[in-house]
Amino acid sequence: MNWNKMLHQGKLTLLSAVLVAVSAWGMHASPSQAASAATAVPACGTGDHGLLKELQARHAASEETPLSFSDLQFLSADTGRAAGSGFMIGTSDGGCHFQEIYQGQWNFRQIDFPNNVQGWALASVKDTAATYLIATTNGGSTWTRIGNTATDFERIDFKDSKRGFGYSRNATSYTTDGGRTWSLIRTPANTRSAEFTSRDKGYALVIAPGAGYRVMKTSNGGSTWSLSLQSAFAYPESGRIYASGDQVYALLYGGTGMSQTSYSLYASSNKGGSWKRVIAQDSAGGGPAPGSGAAQLRSGPASGKPGNMQLIGSSAAFLVGFSPAGEKVAVGRSYKGGKAWTNLPAIPGYEGMISFTGLKEGWMAVRGQNTSSLYSTGDGGSTWKLKFVFKGTEQ
């Protein structure tokens, strides 16, 4: 996910206007004048940066929980967005300042911006269950519903301003006109997750009841599928495929109980030609991890439930993990296509979601008991800096 520059709109934010004025003045001013101008720029904000006060108060009064983030997307270390129920905020200076982008009826479940101006989202209206595909052409300030009916998409992935994929539990669709019309891509029976890197090349995670998981791949747009990986498990239910370039990761879920989840993570660095079992996390509450044989590690990040992954370039991958019982969130990573994996130190929290933009640069949304926060990292997830926080009524 790479953005160009933040929000090509007709109006600059107040922050941008101040920065432009200081820059222009500095070109013609003396060194002392330029230094004085620089000190006039507001310092980096903290906490909630003064945003969404009324929405926070209404949410806390009705829910008794803090306003929280449901998705985030950063396309550079400095520039990104985060959204939740009825709002979207953004930054263009690495979290030093945040601005309100949107406040209204849409409760965002997923946001997807292939560039700074055009974006899509899966969202519901207020407390209704129906999910709609909506789009923006001004960076997220206003949104238009695409179509008159709800969608069954659980996830969207737009490659550019026209071409994109829509994924439901067992189906994949493709659009070439920005989401107005969709064509169905044939996937194997009992598919539980799919990921296409192009219209022709893709992968599907399939369950074989009583036998286990299968990863299938296609190079002709779903016309035919071939077996890439099989992993034995008595009760296969769900998982997730991630793919980018030559990298493919298969996240296979075992059981869940007592706030514990069992899972296996498999990695391929050659488009599914061969696989390595990276993580095999058994748990007392969730039972054994799917598959068998050697694994690099017997537990994942935070020794908890796996969250989302991000694949960067030809060999880097990041996985967030969180343990509600242990009240910790952490990231695991590989810089070698899964051949070596490291679980990094945890920070406090109940749940986490990541958005990495480079080998070192990334962001994470973390939900705590009474907070929902945004953190950034510049060292690949080894350490995190707090950039934004919504707090509840009880501290």
Side-chain angles (χ1 to χ4, degrees):
M1 294 184 289
N2 294 312
W3 286 357
N4 301 321
K5 289 184 182 287
M6 183 73 169
L7 301 179
H8 292 295
Q9 301 178 49
K11 296 181 179 180
L12 291 172
T13 62
L14 176 60
L15 169 63
S16 297
V18 170
L19 293 176
V20 169
V22 170
S23 177
W25 183 20
M27 293 174 61
H28 303 287
S30 67
S32 60
Q33 289 174 319
S36 298
T39 60
V41 177
C44 288
T46 58
D48 63 9
H49 293 245
L51 301 181
L52 305 170
K53 291 295 189 181
E54 292 184 5
L55 186 59
Q56 288 188 73
R58 292 200 304 269
H59 195 271
S62 61
E63 304 280 348
E64 297 183 355
T65 58
L67 199 63
S68 62
F69 299 104
S70 57
D71 198 14
L72 76 165
Q73 185 186 24
F74 277 74
L75 301 181
S76 75
D78 293 330
T79 305
R81 297 169 174 86
S85 296
F87 75 93
M88 179 181 292
I89 63 172
T91 181
S92 58
D93 60 5
C96 191
H97 302 84
F98 280 86
Q99 300 84 36
E100 177 184 316
I101 297 175
Y102 170 87
Q103 186 175 173
Q105 68 173 344
W106 293 111
N107 292 341
F108 296 97
R109 300 183 181 183
Q110 185 203 348
I111 57 175
D112 186 23
F113 284 79
N115 59 58
N116 272 336
V117 178
Q118 294 165 300
W120 286 261
L122 296 176
S124 60
V125 179
K126 299 300 183 181
D127 297 325
T128 62
T131 299
Y132 294 92
L133 177 64
I134 59 178
T136 181
T137 58
N138 56 16
S141 295
T142 59
W143 294 85
T144 302
R145 192 171 70 182
I146 300 178
N148 296 320
T149 59
T151 181
D152 63 352
F153 292 156
E154 298 176 350
R155 181 169 54 91
I156 52 176
D157 179 19
F158 277 82
K159 302 301 184 180
D160 54 36
S161 62
K162 298 294 184 182
R163 302 174 301 120
F165 295 90
Y167 299 99
S168 62
R169 179 176 173 82
N170 56 7
T172 299
S173 299
Y174 182 69
T175 182
T176 58
D177 57 12
R180 290 190 295 274
T181 61
W182 296 85
S183 59
L184 188 66
I185 298 176
R186 190 178 69 85
T187 52
N190 294 323
T191 292
R192 292 296 180 265
S193 174
E195 185 80 7
F196 278 76
T197 58
S198 70
R199 176 59 181 83
D200 293 330
K201 298 178 181 180
Y203 305 85
L205 176 63
V206 177
I207 64 168
Y213 291 100
R214 307 285 187 267
V215 174
M216 311 294 289
K217 65 179 181 179
T218 182
S219 58
N220 54 18
S223 295
T224 59
W225 292 83
S226 60
L227 179 65
S228 178
L229 169 71
Q230 54 185 348
S231 179
F233 192 61
Y235 305 103
E237 292 186 5
S238 64
R240 175 73 192 273
I241 286 286
Y242 294 88
S244 178
D246 292 346
Q247 291 197 90
V248 192
Y249 278 78
L251 181 59
L252 312 180
Y253 281 92
T256 297
M258 299 186 297
S259 298
Q260 299 174 322
T261 297
S262 300
Y263 70 95
S264 287
L265 180 68
Y266 288 84
S268 172
S269 59
N270 56 4
K271 300 181 180 180
S274 60
W275 294 83
K276 184 175 183 62
R277 197 178 186 210
V278 180
I279 297 171
Q281 178 173 295
D282 304 332
S283 68
S292 61
Q296 288 185 47
L297 298 175
R298 303 306 301 184
S299 64
S303 298
K305 181 178 180 178
N308 70 312
M309 289 194 74
Q310 294 268 263
L311 308 186
I312 304 294
S314 60
S315 58
F318 300 87
L319 170 69
V320 64
F322 44 88
S323 173
E327 298 184 21
K328 56 185 180 179
V329 179
V331 165
R333 74 184 182 206
S334 175
Y335 287 141
K336 297 181 178 180
K339 294 181 176 66
W341 187 273
T342 302
N343 291 327
L344 301 170
I347 63 174
Y350 288 176
E351 294 180 343
M353 179 183 300
I354 55 174
S355 177
F356 272 77
T357 62
L359 299 182
K360 300 294 185 180
E361 302 79 25
W363 286 74
M364 180 163 62
V366 175
R367 184 181 67 83
Q369 182 176 7
N370 291 301
T371 61
S372 185
S373 309
L374 294 175
Y375 292 83
S376 71
T377 182
D379 56 16
S382 296
T383 60
W384 295 91
K385 295 181 180 179
L386 181 63
K387 296 292 186 177
F388 189 101
V389 59
F390 289 127
K391 293 185 178 180
T393 56
E394 297 181 5
Q395 305 303 318

